[in-house]
Amino acid sequence: MTVKGSNANLNEIAHLPETPVLNNEKSEIAEFFAGTNVLVTGGTGFLGILLIEKLLRSCPDIATLYMIVRPKKGKNSQDRFKETFDNVVYDRLKREQPNFLNKVVLIEGDASLEDFGLSLESKEILTNTNIIFHAAANVRFDETLRSTANTNVKAIKYILLFAKQLQNLKAFVHVSTAFSHCILKTINEVHYKPPIQGDELLTLMDILDDDKIEKLTPVLLDKWPNTYVFTKAIGESIVLKYSDNFPVCIVRPSIVLSTEKEPIVGWTNNLYGATGAVVASYIGLLHTIHCKEKNVAELIPADYVVSNIIAAAWDVAHRKSLTTSNNDSNIPDEERVPIFNSVSSCQNPTTWKDFLKQNEVIGLKIPSSRMQACYFLLLTKYLFLYRVYTLLFHIIPAVIIDTLTYLIGRKPMLLNVYKKIHKFSRVIHYFSTQEWQFNNDNVMKLWQKMNSIDRQTFNFNIENLDWDMFIYYYIRGVRVYLLNDPLSTIEEANIKYNRIRKVYYTVITVISLLLLWRTVSFTYFLWSYCPLSH
């Protein structure tokens, strides 16, 4: 079945029916959010977009949703706000609640700036906030320490200090990452010691210039692989330190993929993490990854994470109401600020080999018209072999093609593309060559607390996920939403891909024959002139 349009809704292919109501139970989570004023930071990011959509659609009686938006890339906050809601991901919400935008209030701000970049007027508007979802983060692995510290540490401190002033705060959810303490091999739902205290890091940022910070960064990072996970670990300690006696929790998602089915099937809008590797291999550019293929791939669909985040807010508010009268200062940190590891490996693991192989199998059945070369991907745990593969399948072909491109008067580009791919590969290899033992007891306990309606509406039970079916639609989502390649082009893409394969195997055959000829010639030469032959 084909669907026309580059933003075709994959629900039309998936034939996913609306979830039926099995009984007369009401959603306790939706009732909790009824009449509340909700603040979301990071609402224009991948998870933020899905979080806002899910809150408005599944908790329709929310009074107001405040959305902090910053200017970016020459666009002001208003323009970015409008563009966000033009996204196909909001189509279902527009059908079900045409007037939903009446509840959404734009607040201009910037997580990287002092006091979140909020004006006095904006702060006054936000004083009636009841629930805060802090999803704003700098998620780039290769950013400077100052940049990531401003967003992932300083901004958290500010938003927590602001939350303390709110008279009717019911819940505060901080979105972290499952890899915040990736230097440990076992990661439980507990608070670990940060690499440096948050206030100490912020003091260093204030007193040192950029050059000194850059020189000091490797020393500070120590065993942490990048500034992202380093600052996320410190951010969690800031949450613990400044949460005091109000209801706060932390949700740690693992490597987030596209949606499984909500609000639409297979939706994603970024190339971070595993999706970047999938896209690069799908279009025939990435042919090798430094990866231990038998290791568990800690992956999770985005809609599972979003439902977990929303349910966590309901849970932490309920927990706090039960312990309000208990002023015992000896309450464990994990009780005071609970942590939810939103991961898949505890209940429904998959390996890198299985995940990437299934992507290849499905991808070859629906090749993209954006394909540049043959689709093949070699996984190796050996760094030397990875470098050999990189030379053979990336660098040498790129040099040949760029040379030919230059000779015909066009601008060579492939080597530059591979520089970016190899930079990306260096960033992710830490996570593709290691394995962690996670615990998600809090997540499973939360699931047990929910009634049947909430389990249907806010599904995050990863045990029920069918990985093969998920990947089937994941690849289609990559094709439609990231490559802007409508499924109506599959026939055309098959023709193009067969042509690419013929050229590829012709070139390989010619090169092989030339090598064979040179080998035979050299062998004959040695045989003819070897003294032992006479």
Side-chain angles (χ1 to χ4, degrees), residues 457-507:
T457 308
F458 303 96
N459 175 35
F460 55 84
N461 186 4
I462 198 70
E463 185 176 348
N464 297 328
L465 178 71
D466 182 332
W467 280 109
D468 288 347
M469 186 59 68
F470 169 77
I471 295 171
Y472 178 86
Y473 292 113
Y474 170 60
I475 285 294
R476 283 159 171 76
V478 162
R479 194 182 197 278
V480 171
Y481 301 118
L482 289 183
L483 296 176
N484 294 315
D485 193 6
L487 297 177
S488 57
T489 67
I490 288 178
E491 185 176 348
E492 168 194 330
N494 269 311
I495 295 171
K496 178 181 179 180
Y497 186 62
N498 286 332
R499 190 184 307 124
I500 288 173
R501 288 182 64 200
K502 288 177 181 177
V503 171
Y504 174 79
Y505 285 115
T506 299
V507 171

Side-chain angles (χ1 to χ4, degrees), residues 70-230:
R70 66 184 172 112
K72 185 179 180 182
K73 295 181 179 178
K75 296 180 181 178
N76 60 37
S77 299
Q78 287 284 353
D79 289 340
R80 296 190 67 217
F81 178 81
K82 292 176 183 177
E83 283 184 4
T84 297
F85 291 102
D86 287 338
N87 197 298
V88 65
V89 82
Y90 286 102
D91 285 356
R92 179 178 172 184
L93 180 59
K94 289 175 182 176
R95 291 194 304 269
E96 297 180 7
Q97 299 177 45
N99 299 318
F100 76 91
L101 273 175
N102 294 337
K103 297 181 179 182
V104 185
V105 176
L106 166 65
I107 302 291
E108 292 191 11
D110 188 335
S112 66
L113 301 180
E114 195 73 29
D115 283 358
F116 228 93
L118 297 176
S119 67
L120 290 175
E121 181 184 2
S122 295
K123 292 176 185 178
E124 183 64 28
I125 292 171
L126 294 172
T127 53
N128 67 348
T129 300
N130 306 119
I131 300 165
I132 297 176
F133 293 98
H134 181 57
N138 187 328
V139 298
R140 295 178 66 90
F141 286 3
D142 56 351
E143 284 282 359
T144 65
L145 182 55
R146 184 184 296 281
S147 177
T148 49
N150 282 340
T151 305
N152 297 349
V153 181
K154 183 185 283 188
I156 298 173
K157 180 179 177 179
Y158 171 74
I159 207 76
L160 285 163
L161 292 174
F162 176 76
K164 283 185 182 183
Q165 305 169 32
L166 302 177
Q167 298 298 312
N168 298 303
L169 184 70
K170 295 183 176 182
F172 184 111
V173 182
H174 170 62
V175 181
S176 184
T177 171
F179 300 100
S180 56
H181 293 277
C182 58
I183 63 168
L184 305 173
K185 288 305 177 186
T186 298
I187 301 175
N188 296 317
E189 292 169 314
V190 300
H191 293 275
Y192 295 104
K193 184 179 178 180
I196 182 176
Q197 292 300 320
D199 287 321
E200 292 178 5
L201 177 66
L202 295 180
T203 299
L204 285 174
M205 296 299 108
D206 289 337
I207 64 176
L208 298 178
D209 60 30
D210 288 345
D211 288 340
K212 288 185 175 64
I213 291 173
E214 186 177 353
K215 292 176 182 176
L216 188 59
T217 295
V219 178
L220 290 173
L221 292 186
D222 192 19
K223 296 179 182 179
W224 266 264
N226 55 62
T227 56
Y228 169 67
V229 292
F230 176 78

Side-chain angles (χ1 to χ4, degrees), residues 17 40 46 66 88 107 140 156 172 237 259 282 301 316 332 348 408 430 485:
V40 177
F46 177 50
Y66 299 113
V88 65
I107 302 291
R140 295 178 66 90
I156 298 173
F172 184 111
S237 71
T259 59
Y282 182 42
V316 74
N348 192 358
I408 61 174
Y430 180 90
D485 193 6

Side-chain angles (χ1 to χ4, degrees), residues 418-473:
Y418 275 119
K419 284 181 182 178
K420 294 179 180 179
I421 288 177
H422 295 155
K423 182 179 179 181
F424 170 79
S425 297
R426 286 193 297 272
V427 164
I428 66 168
H429 89 95
Y430 180 90
F431 303 94
S432 60
T433 56
Q434 298 197 58
E435 193 171 47
W436 292 266
Q437 184 73 39
F438 285 93
N439 172 286
N440 72 337
D441 287 350
N442 285 345
V443 172
M444 291 191 285
K445 288 175 183 176
L446 174 56
W447 180 254
Q448 294 302 318
K449 295 177 185 179
M450 294 162 57
N451 66 26
S452 61
I453 297 301
D454 281 333
R455 288 185 183 184
Q456 288 179 317
T457 308
F458 303 96
N459 175 35
F460 55 84
N461 186 4
I462 198 70
E463 185 176 348
N464 297 328
L465 178 71
D466 182 332
W467 280 109
D468 288 347
M469 186 59 68
F470 169 77
I471 295 171
Y472 178 86
Y473 292 113

